[in-house]
C-alpha cells in the first residue's frame, strides 16, 4: 500500500483510490463519426464514462492507417459531447497538444513516445489529465523518471499506464508483468492503470489479463473495443466487439468485488 497515493479525479472517478477500478474504453482509432458513435454507445451502455480513441496513430509502417488527425479530434469531441462521456486520445507531436487540449479531456503519451522529452515538456504545460504509457523496452525507473517531466511545476493529474514490454516471448504481442503495480507503487505516488489490449494482441486474451491486473492492484483499465473489429483500420485482432463489451465488463465486476473495489 502506498499511503501517499495521489488521486486523479475525472468524471466522478477517483483514479488511485484503493476502492475503485476506473475504466476507459473505446476503439483503437477514430475511423469515422459512425464508427466512433456506435462504439461509444456500447461503451456507455456498459456503464463506462470515459471514451478512448486515437486520431494520431504512430504506426510501424508508413503504409498503415495514420489516423484522421485534427478531424479525428473533432469527431471524438463531438461524440463525447453528444453522449456525455469524457474523452481520451493520444498525442504524438508537440504541435498538436494545444488543439487537442482545448477539445479533449485526457491526453495520452503512447509507448513509442515515453522518452520523447520535448513532447513530455509540452504536455506538462496543459491542465488536462495526462496518461503516460511505458516504453516498449523501458524499465520502471525510466518510466517513472519520464513521468517526472509531466509532474514538473506542481502538475498532479498524471496517470501511468502499464502496457507490457517487448521480451523474447512472442506468443503474446507484449509481455505483461503482474508485479508492475507493486513495483511502480514503490517508485511513484501517481495512479497506475493497465492496458490489457496491446499486450494481449488478441481478443480472447484480454479478459484473463484484465482480471489478473485488477487483482494485482491496477487502479484502472484502458480497453479497446470496436463495432466491427474484422474491418478495423488498426489492431483488428485485439478489439472486443461492441456487442460483447457489456458482457466483458460484467465479468470483471466480481473480480473487483473480491478485491474490495468497484468498477467505475
Ligand atoms: C494505443 O493505446 O492506442 C496504443 C497505440 O498503445 P501503445 O502506445 O501502448 O502501443
Ligand atoms: Mn491500438
Amino acid at each position: 500500500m502506498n499511503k501517499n497515493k495521489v488521486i486523479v479525479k475525472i468524471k466522478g472517478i477517483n483514479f488511485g483510490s484503493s476502492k475503485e477500478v476506473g475504466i476507459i474504453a473505446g476503439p483503437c482509432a477514430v475511423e469515422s463519426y459512425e464508427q466512433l458513435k456506435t462504439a461509444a454507445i456500447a461503451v456507455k451502455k456498459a456503464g463506462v464514462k470515459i471514451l478512448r480513441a486515437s486520431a494520431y496513430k504512430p504506426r510501424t509502417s508508413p503504409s498503415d492507417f495514420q489516423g484522421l488527425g485534427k478531424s479525428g479530434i473533432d469527431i471524438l469531441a463531438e461524440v463525447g459531447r453528444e453522449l456525455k462521456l469524457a474523452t481520451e486520445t493520444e498525442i504524438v507531436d508537440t504541435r498538436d497538444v494545444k488543439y487537442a487540449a482545448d477539445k479533449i479531456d485526457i491526453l495520452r503519451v503512447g509507448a513509442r513516445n515515453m522518452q520523447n522529452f520535448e513532447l513530455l515538456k509540452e504536455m506538462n504545460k496543459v491542465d488536462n489529465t495526462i496518461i503516460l504509457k511505458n516504453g516498449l523496452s523501458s524499465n520502471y525507473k525510466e518510466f517513472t523518471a519520464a513521468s517526472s517531466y509531466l509532474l514538473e511545476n506542481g502538475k498532479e493529474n498524471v496517470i501511468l499506464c502499464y502496457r507490457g514490454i517487448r521480451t523474447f516471448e512472442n506468443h503474446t504481442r507484449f509481455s505483461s508483468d503482474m508485479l508492475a503495480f507493486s513495483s511502480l507503487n514503490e517508485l511513484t505516488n501517481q495512479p497506475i492503470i493497465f492496458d490489457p489490449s496491446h499486450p494481449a494482441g488478441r481478443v480472447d486474451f484480454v479478459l484473463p489479463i484484465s482480471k489478473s491486473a485488477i487483482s494485482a492492484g491496477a487502479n484502472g483499465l484502458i480497453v479497446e473495443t470496436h463495432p466491427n473489429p474484422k474491418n478495423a483500420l488498426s489492431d483488428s485482432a485485439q478489439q472486443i466487439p461492441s456487442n460483447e463489451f457489456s458482457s466483458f465488463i460484467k465479468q470483471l465486476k466480481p473480480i473487483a468485488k473480491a478485491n474490495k473495489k468497484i468498477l467505475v
Side-chain angles (χ1 to χ4, degrees):
M1 268 281 275
N2 178 339
K3 290 201 195 80
N4 300 314
K5 193 99 180 171
V6 169
I7 305 291
V8 175
K9 192 166 178 149
I10 185 145
K11 201 75 184 168
I13 299 173
N14 297 291
F15 286 97
S17 157
S18 60
K19 300 192 173 64
E20 298 182 19
V21 180
I23 308 290
I24 302 170
C28 181
V30 184
E31 298 171 5
S32 67
Y33 172 82
E34 291 71 25
Q35 169 256 7
L36 186 64
K37 184 89 185 251
T38 311
I41 289 169
V43 161
K44 188 173 170 124
K45 199 170 148 211
V48 172
K49 299 184 186 77
I50 308 177
L51 176 67
R52 68 148 282 154
S54 300
Y56 303 103
K57 294 298 303 166
R59 303 305 299 282
T60 302
S61 163
S63 56
D64 291 336
F65 173 60
Q66 299 289 308
L68 298 183
K70 278 195 169 70
S71 64
I73 297 290
D74 295 347
I75 292 171
L76 177 58
E78 188 179 349
V79 170
R81 201 164 40 242
E82 286 170 359
L83 293 177
K84 297 189 171 54
L85 292 166
T87 49
E88 195 269 3
T89 202
E90 177 168 359
I91 300 297
V92 301
D93 189 319
T94 52
R95 291 168 294 188
D96 298 317
V97 174
K98 182 78 180 64
Y99 187 81
D102 288 343
K103 297 184 173 230
I104 304 296
D105 299 297
I106 306 174
L107 304 181
R108 173 178 7 112
V109 178
R112 287 153 195 83
N113 278 310
M114 186 199 86
Q115 288 189 317
N116 181 341
F117 300 115
E118 295 311 312
L119 180 61
L120 298 177
K121 286 179 198 170
E122 211 55 33
M123 303 282 264
N124 169 254
K125 293 181 192 160
V126 298
D127 292 334
N128 310 57
T129 292
I130 308 291
I131 293 179
L132 175 66
K133 295 181 113 182
N134 66 288
L136 306 187
S137 62
S138 62
N139 64 31
Y140 299 135
K141 275 211 174 107
E142 291 161 339
F143 186 18
T144 50
S147 73
S148 307
Y149 279 88
L150 297 170
L151 295 163
E152 286 281 282
N153 307 312
K155 185 172 176 66
E156 287 194 332
N157 51 348
V158 174
I159 297 172
L160 277 67
C161 175
Y162 180 65
R163 48 82 75 219
I165 55 167
R166 174 63 47 77
T167 68
F168 60 76
E169 181 53 69
N170 59 8
H171 191 81
T172 51
R173 192 174 177 195
F174 296 98
S175 297
S176 37
D177 172 18
M178 285 298 107
L179 284 173
F181 313 101
S182 303
S183 305
L184 287 165
N185 270 322
E186 294 186 344
L187 299 171
T188 181
N189 292 325
Q190 302 308 122
I192 303 147
I193 65 170
F194 181 62
D195 171 351
S197 304
H198 291 86
R202 46 188 266 195
V203 72
D204 58 329
F205 280 6
V206 176
L207 182 64
I209 196 69
S210 297
K211 288 178 173 175
S212 305
I214 291 173
S215 297
N219 297 124
L221 299 175
I222 177 165
V223 187
E224 288 189 346
T225 172
H226 188 285
N228 187 355
K230 271 197 199 74
N231 293 336
L233 299 180
S234 57
D235 289 348
S236 170
Q238 71 196 30
Q239 302 200 60
I240 298 170
S242 292
N243 61 5
E244 294 171 21
F245 189 67
S246 278
S247 153
F248 167 78
I249 291 293
K250 207 169 151 193
Q251 292 175 81
L252 295 180
K253 286 183 179 169
I255 307 297
K257 198 172 170 201
N259 286 280
K260 299 190 173 58
K261 293 182 179 189
I262 49 161
L263 278 198
V264 280

